Amino acid sequence: MTIPDTSATPVPRDAEPIKAIPVRHPGRWVAIAVIAVLVAMFVHLLVTNSAFQWKFMFQNMFTPPVMRGLVGTVTITVLAMIIGVVLGVIVAVARLSNNPILRGTSWAYTWFFRAVPRYVLLIVMGNLGILWPRLEIGVPFDTYLGKLFGLENAHWRLFGISTRELLVGFWVGVLGLALSEAAYMAEIVRAGMMSVDPGQDEAATALGMSRGQALRRVVLPQAMRVIIPPTGNETIAMLKDTSLLIAVPVTAELFFQLSAIGNRTFQVFPMLVAAILWYLFLVSILLVGQYFLEKRFSRGYGRADKAKMKLEGLAAEHGANPELP
Amino acid sequence: MSDQARHRAPDDDAEPVVRLGGEVAEPVVRAGGDAAEPMVRAENVHKAFGHVKVLRGIDVTVPRGNVCVVLGPSGSGKSTFLRCINHLEKIDAGRIWVDGKLVGYQQKGDKLYELHDKAVAAQRREIGMVFQRFNLFPHMCALENVMEAPTMVKGQSKAESRRRGIELLDRVGLADKAGNYPSQLSGGQQQRVAIARALAMDPKLMLFDEPTSALDPELVGDVLDAMKDLARSGMTMVVVTHEIGFAREVGDQLIFMDDGVVIESGAPREVLANPQHPRTRDFLSKVL
């Protein structure tokens, strides 16, 4: 190194681009050959095996009952997710609150609904009528309280409804899936909230904001970036879990309708393949949606984005026009 | 309660600022004088995190309009003390008054009652705070950051908050950056927005927690200028910093903390020129 001449600005010099032989990957070619053989075998199976009954399958996978089941599956997925997300946020906020009662209650909720399998939960929900033939609103423990005051068979109740009327399949299904979903969403939201820099909450607090205001205006909006991707996964899982609704039972659902056709016609396998194709189609749509949602919520957070913004900020600080692509 | 109509426009500079100079050097707490009630009065403040005693009896008095600079090695409890003043940390023993009101508690007779969250939040509204890591809200642009608390907390109209927000951003020299998001601003710009954000609540006291420690050296000057401007306008400030130059230039009072106690205090020029305690001397020899 020579001592640079301060009077002249250094001029960038041209350089010869590197020309090197790239590393060879023979393993990849072997893998391609193996995969090609397996794919050929699979296609051969699809075309030659008569058990697939392709014509029968295509004739039956778009029938009106199946389409009604499709609408049911999508509707229940949407409703269960909306209720699940809202309830999940509430449970997560309660879990992170300073109030020990809220904290304990939300912990118990999450513990219970995460521990019970969805299928079992749905069966139980469908059978709640065994526990309470009628649901009534009134004073709790009224018969016991009545005895205290010397009254036999005290019934201090405002109104009641038969559980047989209340527990219609569709809403029990939605509620069962939503309650279970809320427990998982609560964990996701909690993780999202904990990922936000504690300095944010502190800054909001120091400005005199209440805890609710700090949550709503500062913490939750920033937690969204972490919450969105796993919520997409949860929605996909929910769509598939609607096939468990037979446990309630709910019949206006895709898988039940497809397998019903299969059972009725003794062509079980083609209708199972039809179910796979339908789920592949629905989940693919959701994946496209998730891709755009993630892109939307990670704006300004990518490494390249961040560097670009930093550059703009620094250039602006020195009063120069940032030169950017 | 102070008068509501107090506006801190830059032209307040013209007024002669009352400074109590050497008087504040003596750390004696004089109780009783309501008219001359200091802005901050801390008496024998103790704070421990688990077994670690961070504050072990702090007595500090900051008169109105004064700038109190807190110096000391890291881990000496400076930041913790600052955070106790607006009750971000609960103190274990002692008392802190801001503008004559007990912070975080209410004294009725000989009983001390904890204040409800809402009442604590109301106290914090009058105390602005600036953090080492700025803590701007990254999902809001500079102007929205400044407008947020007045609209949400004070219920001020959006139009009024916007007008005042632009005025404050202009005061810290960033009116042209109002629409930029924090990630589009340099550290120095972010910290100046943070100062404007705190001022938007019209606080009567400003706390600064090492406001320039996270900045590139070349960006420190702008932030210090904004703080000097604020000090000249008569704002009461408590500043935890390592900027000795700032302490000497605008500080009315300097306290030196070590291991949870104030080991030396007085007029900044005197303490800096002629430190009495060996720990102060040792620290200053390393910093200066």
Side-chain angles (χ1 to χ4, degrees), chain B residues 189-265:
Chain B
Q189 291 171 332
Q190 287 188 56
Q191 193 61 296
R192 283 183 282 153
V193 173
I195 293 172
R197 179 176 69 172
L199 290 177
M201 290 296 285
D202 289 315
K204 45 193 178 188
L205 168 69
M206 283 285 286
L207 308 175
F208 292 84
D209 187 5
E210 302 201 28
T212 56
S213 299
L215 297 178
D216 292 342
E218 53 179 356
L219 306 180
V220 168
D222 290 335
V223 172
L224 289 181
D225 286 343
M227 290 168 64
K228 284 173 198 166
D229 168 58
L230 195 59
R232 265 180 239 118
S233 75
M235 175 66 79
T236 315
M237 294 160 65
V238 181
V239 186
V240 171
T241 187
H242 293 299
E243 296 291 333
I244 304 293
F246 176 84
R248 189 180 293 130
E249 195 179 331
V250 292
D252 299 296
Q253 173 186 4
L254 185 149
I255 63 175
F256 188 88
M257 279 178 67
D258 188 33
D259 203 15
V261 287
V262 175
I263 58 172
E264 192 160 357
S265 66

Side-chain angles (χ1 to χ4, degrees), chain A residues 85-321:
Chain A
V85 168
V86 171
L87 198 58
V89 171
I90 294 170
V91 173
V93 169
R95 188 77 190 278
L96 293 175
S97 117
N98 294 324
N99 181 333
I101 298 160
L102 285 179
R103 249 188 349 247
T105 315
S106 53
W107 178 86
Y109 179 92
T110 319
W111 167 76
F112 181 82
F113 282 100
R114 277 212 308 175
V116 179
R118 267 185 195 174
Y119 188 67
V120 177
L121 180 70
L122 289 171
I123 296 178
V124 171
M125 298 270 302
N127 287 297
L128 279 182
I130 297 170
L131 209 55
W132 300 295
R134 278 178 69 77
L135 269 184
E136 293 176 321
I137 308 289
V139 180
F141 298 110
D142 47 2
T143 45
Y144 298 100
L145 286 171
K147 270 182 196 151
L148 277 178
F149 296 106
L151 297 168
E152 280 301 317
N153 281 329
H155 286 286
W156 299 330
R157 295 175 194 187
L158 287 173
F159 61 92
I161 185 170
S162 156
T163 38
R164 216 173 282 280
E165 289 165 45
L166 193 70
L167 296 180
V168 273
F170 179 82
W171 285 106
V172 176
V174 168
L175 196 66
L177 289 174
L179 288 176
S180 161
E181 185 57 40
Y184 291 95
M185 280 311 301
E187 290 298 286
I188 291 169
V189 173
R190 189 165 72 102
M193 285 167 66
M194 290 196 303
S195 76
V196 177
D197 174 12
Q200 290 291 312
D201 191 47
E202 217 159 66
T205 308
L207 283 167
M209 287 167 106
S210 70
R211 208 181 137 67
Q213 284 172 330
L215 267 177
R216 222 170 47 246
R217 303 284 307 176
V218 177
V219 178
L220 278 176
Q222 294 182 59
M224 286 308 279
R225 191 175 56 89
V226 177
I227 293 171
I228 290 284
T231 305
N233 279 338
E234 289 294 309
T235 310
I236 288 167
M238 178 61 78
L239 184 92
K240 295 183 292 181
D241 281 355
T242 52
S243 59
L244 300 176
L245 284 170
I246 188 59
V248 174
V250 176
T251 53
E253 173 268 309
L254 185 63
F255 183 67
F256 179 84
Q257 293 300 334
L258 287 167
S259 52
I261 296 173
N263 293 335
R264 202 171 58 236
T265 57
F266 302 107
Q267 299 282 8
V268 176
F269 200 78
M271 295 328 282
L272 292 177
V273 176
I276 290 178
L277 292 178
W278 267 122
Y279 284 118
L280 280 174
F281 171 71
L282 291 174
V283 169
S284 304
I285 292 176
L286 286 181
L287 285 175
V288 173
Q290 188 183 7
Y291 170 78
F292 284 107
L293 213 60
E294 274 179 37
K295 231 177 143 177
R296 166 84 177 70
F297 274 93
S298 58
R299 275 185 320 178
Y301 281 99
R303 225 183 287 168
D305 271 356
K306 198 132 203 168
K308 190 176 141 189
M309 286 173 162
K310 178 103 185 163
L311 212 65
E312 277 175 303
L314 279 174
E317 179 106 14
H318 296 293
N321 274 329

Side-chain angles (χ1 to χ4, degrees), chain B residues 41 49 77 89 150 166 193 255:
Chain B
R41 189 149 63 91
F49 293 111
E89 304 285 356
I166 291 171
V193 173
I255 63 175

Side-chain angles (χ1 to χ4, degrees), chain B residues 141-148 150-151 156-170 175 178-179 200:
Chain B
C141 71
L143 183 59
E144 285 169 333
N145 262 282
V146 180
M147 287 168 61
E148 180 67 15
T151 30
Q156 194 173 295
S157 77
K158 275 227 158 145
E160 172 61 14
S161 301
R162 178 177 294 272
R163 191 194 61 74
R164 181 104 173 90
I166 291 171
E167 189 184 300
L168 284 165
L169 285 175
D170 188 42

